[in-house]
Amino acid sequence: MPDVLTCSQCGAPLPVEQGRQFVTCQFCQAENFVDKRQAVLHYAVRDTLGAESATAALRRWMAGNDTIKGLDQSARITEVAFQLFPMWLVRTEQKGVETVVLEPGAALTVTELMELTIPASAMEPYDHTLDGQAIEPTVPLDTVYKWLGENHKIPQAAVQEVSLVHVPLFLAKYEHAGRGYTAVVDASNGRVFANVFPSKWEAPYQAIGILAFIAYFCAALIPYIGYANSGEEGIILGLGAYAVACVVLAIPIFALAAYVSHKV
Ligand SMILES: [Zn+2]
């Protein structure tokens, strides 16, 4: 381990003391983040959404197809708070194939945030005026390397570059039917992340499926009944009746499904 930490951009020595810190290189002005004995470049993604636009994005998501119908009307948004969330961005290369892996730098409130994407063009050098809103990373790089091996089967030797990226987010809390929920709005593009939310009720669809199965099973018995009653002639009549029954049965089943789909 070298005693002198160097800037991950220009290689100049960094004026670093013990522990992890945010350090600006005196030579190239690059923002470095120091984790134990390693310095990595430190970026922030610029936020383009204010709290109002983020709330509007949340309402649109609530009105969308993932959530229960009318959630945008019935939910009460209680809090929309801005924060810069730390993510470790790891560029790896194995057999000529480059992969970018994102790992959380702090405890995730919404695990769906793992699906976050960070376009390289949106990354800017971290600015210390952001310190007040930035959540300090609590996941050390050693843990990130361990996750790479365990979850992605990527050895540490394949790591080309590691950066710390502070991502702008709105943490939103809302209530629906007496329960509290949390969602996260990406403040750079308005994408909404949530793992638990009032979702569409699946039971009515299952009930319709069972009903349809029973109805068609009964209809399929018609030719047998025809045969039992009047032999071969009965089969032909029964098959004709069966064909008609299949078409007729489809109407109420589709109508019911459409009704349920409209309701929930
Ligand atoms: Zn430098």
Side-chain angles (χ1 to χ4, degrees):
M1 287 288 172
D3 280 316
V4 179
L5 265 174
T6 54
C7 168
S8 46
Q9 181 158 283
C10 73
L14 285 175
V16 180
E17 283 150 34
Q18 282 288 304
R20 66 161 66 97
Q21 334 190 3
F22 306 108
V23 192
T24 309
C25 172
Q26 292 168 307
F27 294 88
C28 73
Q29 295 349 268
E31 293 300 334
N32 284 259
F33 179 81
V34 177
D35 177 67
K36 287 192 180 157
R37 302 305 301 161
Q38 192 179 354
V40 300
L41 284 180
H42 187 192
Y43 297 95
V45 172
R46 193 210 303 259
D47 59 304
T48 56
L49 265 69
E52 264 179 46
S53 310
T55 308
L58 183 64
R59 290 266 181 217
R60 276 197 300 278
W61 170 78
M62 286 172 166
N65 265 331
D66 292 336
T67 58
I68 196 163
K69 199 171 182 71
L71 182 62
D72 55 322
Q73 301 296 322
S74 57
R76 198 168 67 86
I77 298 173
T78 52
E79 192 189 328
V80 177
F82 184 80
Q83 66 175 37
L84 285 161
F85 188 83
M87 296 290 282
W88 292 108
L89 190 143
V90 188
R91 249 177 254 287
T92 67
E93 197 189 302
Q94 273 183 299
K95 299 183 181 94
V97 179
E98 197 182 86
T99 318
V100 175
V101 181
L102 275 178
E103 296 287 0
L108 287 172
T109 40
V110 169
T111 51
E112 251 66 11
L113 265 184
M114 294 292 284
E115 292 163 26
L116 200 81
T117 48
I118 303 176
S121 58
M123 285 161 48
E124 297 177 345
Y126 181 83
D127 178 339
H128 287 281
T129 59
L130 303 171
D131 286 354
Q133 295 167 316
I135 291 174
E136 188 152 342
T138 50
V139 174
L141 262 179
D142 288 346
T143 307
V144 175
Y145 289 131
K146 206 178 88 187
W147 287 342
L148 279 180
E150 286 173 2
N151 306 335
H152 303 273
K153 304 283 172 269
I154 296 172
Q156 197 174 332
V159 174
Q160 300 286 304
E161 189 192 354
V162 181
S163 335
L164 177 69
V165 186
H166 268 98
V167 185
L169 302 173
F170 282 98
L171 203 63
K173 293 193 190 305
Y174 64 95
E175 289 169 5
H176 170 76
R179 275 193 68 188
Y181 297 90
T182 303
V184 171
V185 183
D186 186 329
S188 69
N189 58 19
R191 197 173 155 196
V192 175
F193 299 89
N195 21 348
V196 182
F197 51 86
S199 57
K200 291 202 176 214
W201 192 35
E202 285 176 11
Y205 291 106
Q206 285 167 2
I208 292 171
I210 292 166
L211 204 71
F213 176 78
I214 293 169
Y216 277 97
F217 183 79
C218 292
L221 292 177
I222 296 171
Y224 292 97
I225 294 164
Y227 175 70
N229 286 336
S230 39
E232 268 179 43
E233 202 179 315
I235 294 185
I236 294 160
L237 279 172
L239 281 173
Y242 171 59
V244 172
C246 284
V247 175
V248 171
L249 277 174
I251 298 165
I253 288 164
F254 274 102
L256 201 58
Y259 173 76
V260 168
S261 160
H262 183 73
K263 269 296 204 209
V264 298

